[in-house]
Amino acid sequence: MFRTASVIRLHTQQRFNTFVLPFIILAIAFAVVLAIGVIANLSVDDPSQLDGMHEGMRWNGAVWSVLGPLMGFGFTAMLQIFPLSLGLGITRREFAAGTLAVFGIIAALFTTAITVLKSIEQATDGFGLRIRMFDVVYVGMGDWWQTAVQTFLLLLMAMFLGAAVSTVYLRWGQRGLWISLTSLALVPFLVVSIAFVVPGMMEQVFIAVGSVPWIGWMGIVALIGALAAGAWVLLIRRAPVR
């Protein structure tokens, strides 16, 4: 237990990179969206003219500017903290447990922030500018608890994917990494290619995707995250220190 706590401290010793930097990047994206909202409001006489913009911004992906730093945190966990932990006598199992705890803490922190900001955005009609930054499809258009669940699962998935990719690199090097990524990319590529070739199939794919309920999408996200976490846990047992 003590060594697991040591892993948590190692992960969070650079508080700026772990906690502050993702919020700065999110704030920059928010400032850009606010600027767009200000310009749009100054260019119209009737706020109802912004209905189209307000509706279209359902697909605004600026909120996921935080995904990059958090996925990068998954890379750092394996490429920097992992060898340091082993050098300090921490076992691989203790490192995995501590890293899992940190991933959960970080995901919960940013989930809380995004959920609160979404509530404020809804209550103020887009911060008084009819914009959408947090009330978007990517974090859920339903109740606040749906946003919390969806955001938490997506953030965890991003960090586990980052950790898994880094562990593949440690285990098999750059060649193994490229082979793994290419193999994974072939699956959606083949599906899309077949859908384009077969008459009417693309339409059926869109219909099928659109008919998946929210709980189904959450199951897909959770499955991807679980597979990434499982691969990471299995590979970490034999991943060499580089």
Side-chain angles (χ1 to χ4, degrees):
M1 183 67 181
F2 174 75
R3 289 184 173 183
T4 299
S6 297
V7 175
I8 295 174
R9 285 194 293 270
L10 286 173
H11 277 302
T12 57
Q13 63 181 344
Q14 295 183 344
R15 291 179 176 81
F16 179 83
N17 291 336
T18 304
F19 301 109
V20 180
L21 182 60
F23 276 116
I24 291 177
I25 294 174
L26 186 64
I28 292 173
F30 184 39
V32 172
V33 175
L34 282 176
I36 292 173
V38 170
I39 294 172
N41 276 268
L42 291 175
S43 63
V44 299
D45 297 322
D46 185 356
S48 64
Q49 294 178 271
L50 298 176
D51 289 347
M53 180 191 76
H54 184 66
E55 184 64 23
M57 277 188 144
R58 286 176 179 270
W59 304 96
N60 177 20
V63 66
W64 291 130
S65 57
V66 74
L67 273 187
L70 294 190
M71 185 173 283
F73 183 79
F75 296 147
T76 303
M78 290 306 302
L79 299 180
Q80 295 183 9
I81 307 301
F82 176 61
L84 178 60
S85 298
L86 296 189
L88 295 174
I90 295 171
T91 67
R92 293 168 188 258
R93 178 176 296 180
E94 290 165 340
F95 173 80
T99 302
L100 177 61
V102 172
F103 283 0
I105 292 169
I106 293 175
L109 173 65
F110 285 93
T111 294
T112 301
I114 289 173
T115 303
V116 170
L117 288 169
K118 175 187 173 180
S119 299
I120 295 173
E121 182 176 292
Q122 289 177 324
T124 58
D125 192 21
F127 302 98
L129 298 172
R130 308 224 65 202
I131 60 173
R132 290 182 190 266
M133 169 79 178
F134 305 99
D135 185 21
V136 293
V137 295
Y138 309 107
V139 295
M141 300 295 294
D143 295 330
W144 70 267
W145 63 268
Q146 290 179 301
T147 295
V149 171
Q150 186 166 331
T151 305
F152 184 78
L153 289 177
L154 283 168
L155 295 181
L156 270 186
M157 182 188 73
M159 287 185 283
F160 278 128
L161 284 173
V165 168
S166 301
T167 311
V168 168
Y169 171 76
L170 290 176
R171 184 72 176 85
W172 290 294
Q174 188 172 359
R175 180 178 298 179
L177 177 61
W178 281 112
I179 292 174
S180 300
L181 293 178
T182 302
S183 300
L184 291 174
L186 280 176
V187 176
F189 175 77
L190 289 174
V191 172
V192 172
S193 298
I194 294 172
F196 270 114
V197 172
V198 179
M201 186 174 177
M202 181 60 72
E203 181 180 354
Q204 294 300 318
V205 169
F206 278 117
I207 294 174
V209 170
S211 63
V212 176
W214 178 81
I215 190 66
W217 283 115
M218 293 306 95
I220 293 171
V221 173
L223 177 61
I224 295 173
L227 290 174
W232 170 64
V233 170
L234 289 175
L235 291 174
I236 202 175
R237 297 178 179 179
R238 296 184 178 273
V241 176
R242 290 178 179 268

